[in-house]
Amino acid sequence: MVPSENPLLDNLRIEPTPGATTLVIFGASGDLTRRKLLPALYSLSRGQRLPARFAVVGVARTATSDEQFRQQFHDSLQEFAKVDARSDEVVRSLQAQMYFVAGELDDPGLYARLAARLKEIGSEGVLYYLAIPPGVYGTVAEGLEKAGLAGTPEDGWRRLIVEKPFGTDLASAQSLNAQLHRHFTEDQIFRIDHYLGKETVQNLLVLRFANGMFEPIWNRRYIDHVQITAAETVGVERRASYYEGAGALRDMVQNHLMQLLSLVAMEPPTEFTASSVRDRKMDALLAVQPVVGGDEPPAVVRAQYREGWVAGAEVPAYRTEPGVAPDSKTETFVALRLKLDSWRWAGVPFYLRSGKRLPKRTTEIAIQFHRPPLQIFKRVSPTPLASDLLVINVQPDEGISLRFNAKIPGTRMQVAPVMMNFGYGTSFQGEVPEAYETLPLDAMLGDPTLFARHDFVEASWALITPINELWQKESGVPPTYQAGDWGPPEADALIAKDGRRWRTL
Ligand code: BG6
């Protein structure tokens, strides 16, 4: 961020830098590394956020020299960096500290070679980034420990970042946690949920707990319901081999939307520390009632996109996308209602929806307040007035808007809703860092606040797994929606049953 006009804002930017660190990327020739991690390292370095002594060791199966890895870094920046990074001093200085170790993940020789490299580099801290499928997390954790690379009190710190998907159901998530915990302690493990790295998501904590005016009204007395939407215009892209076994519920709701829900629903932490924040988020998640198995039919709808039009282009049906089974039942849209059993939220439904090939890319949290108890403007405004609404725009127009009613200027008393808007782009200068910049840096600093804890991940799977199991048992085809529509009519019916509507976005 460049200095702003406002000295108060500059004072807030006391940014710690980690001590000497080596980042070891497992899966160094994969997509995530090329698209996200390497460009993020470049941005961090440009912003002088990386340690003065910093090295990168790429690990992958294919034999690759240090020089070739440095070239791959260069190429990835050409394709994916936010700025033109061709002849940059920053690129050259990072390249000079990049190394490669090749080998099979189950070969002890790989870890011995890695150990030798790390010794040569001699950093105080080592961050292992597992940009590899979850099926081999255990193998790598074990390999590292056996080679003495998981950390001893004499070493500096050793930490592990793991990517999503963290399991496919409760049992597999528990097993992954157990495998990791065999070789690393929980405080060494950083589970990525990239939504937590988004500025707007972090700002939820600030909005709620750095202001005095929201918290008193943040409860059942004032709030009617909450809607959380994560809508995408893209389809399955080239990810069918993963997505076919996942679907919208597991891909988006189990992780990202549950994180958003917990940040909205949590009690105030007593201090801004990882344990206090994560404990309160956990309490909120534990208050969510099971969707399946209660007295009522499960309030959840799934659907799959048919062919249609999105952003002026004709797009194919999910079932005809490359790699998708022609009789696939995988859902590309999900909508559900959650109830929280807590003093704060009893009787306040949380409606969640997420889907691909929807009309607009937008992620938002809408807090819908109750109408005033008395409609004194009934005579001048015969249709019910809009209720107050606070919208947190997570993306793409990052900001917050408040809708309330105002008098229309004129000699008559007429009322209409108006908006008060805060936009990041207008209130703050400089670039907003991406999640893949914020999160690895936090891991280097040893701050797990924005990472998913083992119990959170498991509690979330405990809610999601029975829904999936129910769907697996269902014969028949899931409902469909035309690409470019806001999901199937069943999703509208789900919320209409409660006398409410989805927000039109
Ligand atoms: C990922 C999902 O976790 O999040 C993708 O696997 C999805 O399917 C993506 O497209 C959405 O992230 P964002 O940051 O674009 O909202």
Side-chain angles (χ1 to χ4, degrees):
M1 300 286 258
V2 296
S4 71
E5 302 284 301
N6 183 345
L8 277 178
L9 294 177
D10 296 333
N11 287 342
L12 290 175
R13 299 200 185 101
I14 309 160
E15 298 190 340
T17 314
T21 303
T22 300
L23 174 68
V24 179
I25 306 177
F26 286 88
S29 24
D31 225 35
L32 181 73
T33 305
R34 277 187 326 118
R35 280 172 185 273
K36 297 285 182 191
L37 301 185
L38 297 179
L41 290 180
Y42 169 72
S43 299
L44 285 171
S45 180
R46 235 173 109 238
Q48 299 183 331
R49 302 301 325 279
L50 288 179
R53 283 187 54 220
F54 179 73
V56 183
V57 179
V59 178
R61 193 185 288 157
T62 323
T64 304
S65 66
D66 293 346
E67 215 31 69
Q68 284 169 321
F69 185 43
R70 290 169 187 167
Q71 185 59 39
Q72 284 171 12
F73 171 62
H74 180 269
D75 296 346
S76 94
L77 296 185
Q78 297 323 304
E79 215 175 332
F80 301 110
K82 286 186 279 191
V83 294
D84 183 0
R86 232 162 312 180
S87 57
D88 200 317
E89 186 51 37
V90 177
V91 179
R92 284 195 289 276
S93 69
L94 265 173
Q95 279 176 319
Q97 306 167 77
M98 296 184 84
Y99 310 94
F100 203 89
V101 177
E104 297 292 333
L105 297 178
D106 56 0
D107 171 15
L110 167 69
Y111 301 92
R113 289 195 294 284
L114 180 61
R117 251 309 152 78
L118 289 174
K119 201 156 169 223
E120 272 164 42
I121 299 169
S123 295
E124 152 206 344
V126 182
L127 177 61
Y128 304 108
Y129 200 120
L130 307 197
I132 47 178
V136 281
Y137 289 171
T139 313
V140 173
E142 186 181 344
L144 289 171
E145 196 205 355
K146 284 200 169 146
L149 294 176
T152 62
E154 305 80 58
D155 301 334
W157 55 265
R158 301 287 179 266
R159 299 186 190 121
L160 197 66
I161 292 190
V162 291
E163 264 294 334
K164 64 159 283 199
F166 199 85
T168 51
D169 57 12
L170 177 58
S172 57
Q174 285 169 330
S175 151
L176 276 180
N177 275 331
Q179 288 172 45
L180 292 177
H181 286 154
R182 236 170 266 146
H183 312 289
F184 285 82
T185 56
E186 177 63 18
D187 62 2
Q188 291 180 291
I189 304 169
F190 291 69
R191 295 174 196 77
I192 290 250
D193 184 311
H194 79 281
Y195 266 55
L196 291 178
K198 291 183 192 275
E199 282 289 327
T200 34
V201 174
Q202 296 175 57
N203 192 42
L204 261 169
L205 287 167
V206 178
L207 175 81
R208 288 194 57 201
F209 306 127
N211 296 299
M213 60 185 273
F214 296 110
E215 207 37 38
I217 57 168
W218 207 262
N219 56 50
R220 62 197 300 268
R221 190 150 172 224
Y222 298 95
I223 295 177
D224 177 75
H225 75 279
V226 176
Q227 290 188 21
I228 304 181
T229 302
E232 298 185 277
T233 49
V234 293
V236 66
E237 300 176 288
R238 282 188 214 133
R239 300 167 68 222
S241 61
Y242 151 73
Y243 198 83
E244 273 282 85
L249 183 70
R250 292 190 271 194
D251 184 46
M252 292 293 290
V253 179
Q254 183 275 330
N255 40 28
H256 309 321
L257 267 57
M258 288 311 222
Q259 289 288 353
L260 297 184
L261 174 140
S262 70
L263 287 165
V264 173
M266 71 193 276
E267 293 299 316
T270 43
E271 47 183 359
F272 185 54
T273 58
S275 55
S276 194
V277 169
R278 298 200 297 176
D279 284 349
R280 297 293 79 78
K281 283 173 61 190
M282 187 62 201
D283 292 342
L285 190 61
L286 291 174
V288 179
Q289 293 307 290
V291 179
V292 177
D295 303 336
E296 298 173 51
V300 57
V301 163
R302 63 171 166 159
Q304 195 183 69
Y305 61 81
R306 303 190 300 274
E307 61 277 14
W309 290 79
V310 178
E314 195 166 13
V315 296
Y318 177 72
R319 287 181 172 197
T320 61
E321 297 267 23
V324 173
D327 58 351
S328 170
K329 286 187 177 179
T330 301
E331 80 285 357
T332 58
F333 175 94
V334 62
L336 69 163
R337 183 195 61 204
L338 296 175
K339 292 180 175 174
L340 278 68
D341 255 6
S342 67
W343 276 63
R344 188 184 284 268
W345 296 115
V348 181
F350 280 63
Y351 298 97
L352 274 47
R353 61 178 164 162
S354 180
K356 295 202 183 281
R357 291 284 190 226
L358 300 185
K360 198 172 158 189
R361 174 175 183 251
T362 183
T363 300
E364 64 148 58
I365 301 166
I367 315 285
Q368 180 92 53
F369 291 90
H370 290 304
R371 288 183 204 287
L374 201 62
Q375 298 286 334
I376 67 163
F377 297 105
K378 224 175 351 194
R379 206 166 43 81
V380 290
S381 186
T383 48
L385 297 178
S387 49
D388 301 340
L389 179 78
L390 181 71
V391 179
I392 295 134
N393 298 304
V394 175
Q395 60 189 24
D397 301 321
E398 288 93 350
I400 295 176
S401 352
L402 181 65
R403 185 184 73 193
F404 56 97
N405 292 309
K407 179 180 176 300
I408 302 175
T411 48
R412 289 174 53 213
M413 174 56 86
Q414 280 182 302
V415 180
V418 290
M419 300 297 281
M420 210 154 77
N421 294 320
F422 147 66
Y424 277 78
T426 42
S427 297
F428 297 104
Q429 299 171 1
E431 257 172 38
V432 174
E434 291 202 356
Y436 278 97
E437 295 165 34
T438 305
L439 295 176
L441 189 63
D442 277 3
M444 290 181 216
L445 291 164
D447 180 356
T449 314
L450 301 178
F451 291 83
R453 208 166 62 184
H454 68 109
D455 49 349
F456 188 98
V457 174
E458 290 184 14
S460 179
W461 275 121
L463 283 165
I464 295 302
T465 304
I467 304 177
N468 240 97
E469 286 172 352
L470 182 78
W471 288 345
Q472 299 306 322
K473 280 188 224 138
E474 279 174 10
S475 52
V477 280
T480 58
Y481 59 101
Q482 186 174 327
D485 276 354
W486 281 103
E490 286 84 346
D492 298 328
L494 177 138
I495 191 167
K497 223 168 117 209
D498 299 344
R500 301 188 176 94
R501 302 192 273 153
W502 293 109
R503 267 171 52 69
T504 313
L505 302 175

